[in-house]
Amino acid sequence: MSKTQEILQEENQRLAQELKERAFELSVLYDITNCISYSLDYDSFLGILLSSLHKFLDYDICTSLITITQEKKSKMFIQIFNPVNQRLVDEVKTRTLKALNSLRLSPVDEKDIIIEFKGSVIAASDYVPAKFSFDVPLFSRNEAVGILSVVTTRDTPYSDNDVRLFYAIATQASATIERLQGVLAVEKSKMKVMVEGMSEGVVMFDEKGKLVVLNAAAEEALSCYRPGLNKDGLLGFFQELGLADPFEEPAAAQKKTQGLDLYLKEPFLRIIHAQASNIYDEKDKRLGVVVILRDVTKEREIDKMKTDFISLVSHELRTPLTAMKGATDNLLDEIAGQLSGIQKECLSIIKRNIERLVRLISDLLDVSRIEAGKIQLRKETIDIVIIINEVLMLLRQPAKDKDISLKSSIEEGLPKPEADSDKVTQVITNLVGNAIKFTPKGGEIKIAAQAAGDFLQVDVIDNGSGIPHNDLTKIFDKFYQVEGEQQKKGTGLGLPICKGIVEKHGGKIWAESELEKGSKFSFTLPLK
């Protein structure tokens, strides 16, 4: 083979290798740009981008910092491919922020950056400084909105080809960011129009307590309730009402929905129900609080009419039922003459149903008094141990009839709360009575009492049929009955009465249950 042929063969091999490398680069570039082009949010976009760069770039740390205009915050993703020292990570974070701020008219504040970190760091004594790095800015509508940075601690510099590919991907990333910002702007506009058009008032604060949403309905209702209330004081106003928790509280203490009625006199009498809820992202991070203001005037009027009607009818029924019961008792005592066996049996049936009606009417009157706020408490220092023992004695026979074991587990030295002894007895009797009703023969019921912080807690635990999960939030509603228990149904008013009594004392009542394993009903009474 001649010298010329050898040179041509070597050149062909070199060109073939370059072509092969270029094809690979183009394939990788296509895969990356195709993936990030179809990303629908910043998190997935940045995750795909950083995890894909290592296909053609050798780096130890890759960092992205993106400003999200619509959300008024910035996100920094740090991907560590090879373990590095924390000092180097901190240096890269500082340098990346400085590089982006050098391109912007309005600098990004480090406090407003959300950082996500992937990878591992090594001990401080193993610090190795960065040897080579380069940054590529990301633009949207001619404004610098982000920066990509790669860093290596090795002595091998990046080639011109590496830089060229990195810039190509950065160009595609810039286009994707611009598209995402456009989508977010459109969605935000749609949401704003929808919220503004709602008849309910909507108020929302972000995770720092800053007002981000206040629609016309909310502004009108709040200005009528508190004339002169300005937007800057809204969060303090809701916190004053007890609707918004302090933002520095732990997230675990904030997962609750709170509500109260606001009574408006202008321009006409209205009742606005304000309900506040904390909102969280999929990672359980608090995003803020939203308050919904809903006009419930008609609902409250209907509830009042219904309560007044029940109260009136109950009072009117009581008098004839009392007379009927007295007459039935006289007949059973044979004051009006001797009775045959079948006559006594019929009269006994009449008497039992009269007594059942009397109990129902008594429950209805209790519910009416609770809803009207007319329930009166005769508070005194009570001993919960004595009350529990009295209830156990009272219900021992019904439990014995079903071969059910009644037990108590009471913490020693329990504090004595100020409460209405008769009402607390009524609550415990109702809960234990229900447990007996829904516990099969041979079952077990336990009453426990213990101190729980500033409260005294009483638990009624059974191993009965249990309550379906979907019914747990409804069992304290009036007349609500769990399906499948028709043969054991009562008035459906016992638990609502218990709830009203407990809450009137300033306590709480709740239930936990698992089907076929039993239920646990608990309530608390304040100790202070």
Side-chain angles (χ1 to χ4, degrees), residues 163-187:
V163 176
R164 178 180 55 80
L165 277 172
F166 196 52
Y167 267 92
I169 290 176
T171 301
Q172 182 60 43
S174 294
T176 301
I177 290 173
E178 188 167 331
R179 181 177 65 84
L180 280 173
Q181 289 189 340
V183 170
L184 288 173
V186 170
E187 292 301 318

Side-chain angles (χ1 to χ4, degrees), residues 171-291:
T171 301
Q172 182 60 43
S174 294
T176 301
I177 290 173
E178 188 167 331
R179 181 177 65 84
L180 280 173
Q181 289 189 340
V183 170
L184 288 173
V186 170
E187 292 301 318
K188 185 177 181 181
S189 177
K190 288 180 182 177
M191 186 64 68
K192 184 177 180 181
V193 171
M194 182 183 73
V195 171
E196 280 297 324
M198 290 175 63
S199 58
E200 292 88 358
V202 181
V203 187
M204 182 177 174
F205 304 92
D206 65 14
E207 69 275 13
K208 295 181 180 178
K210 184 179 179 181
L211 179 66
V212 290
V213 175
L214 176 66
N215 69 352
E219 195 166 4
E220 185 271 336
L222 293 171
S223 64
C224 291
Y225 183 78
R226 181 76 63 86
L229 180 64
N230 59 52
K231 295 180 180 180
D232 294 334
L234 276 180
L235 180 60
F237 166 72
F238 286 122
Q239 288 176 336
E240 176 189 325
L241 293 176
L243 283 173
D245 297 317
F247 275 60
E248 60 272 11
E249 282 190 7
Q254 299 165 343
K255 287 197 170 182
K256 54 187 176 182
T257 298
Q258 304 167 88
L260 60 82
D261 288 344
L262 308 178
Y263 293 85
L264 280 60
K265 297 181 180 179
E266 300 293 339
F268 52 88
L269 289 175
R270 283 180 295 164
I271 302 174
I272 303 294
H273 182 73
Q275 183 167 304
S277 302
N278 294 296
I279 50 178
Y280 299 83
D281 62 13
E282 67 279 359
K283 296 180 180 177
D284 217 28
K285 180 182 178 183
R286 190 184 190 190
L287 299 178
V289 61
V290 62
V291 182

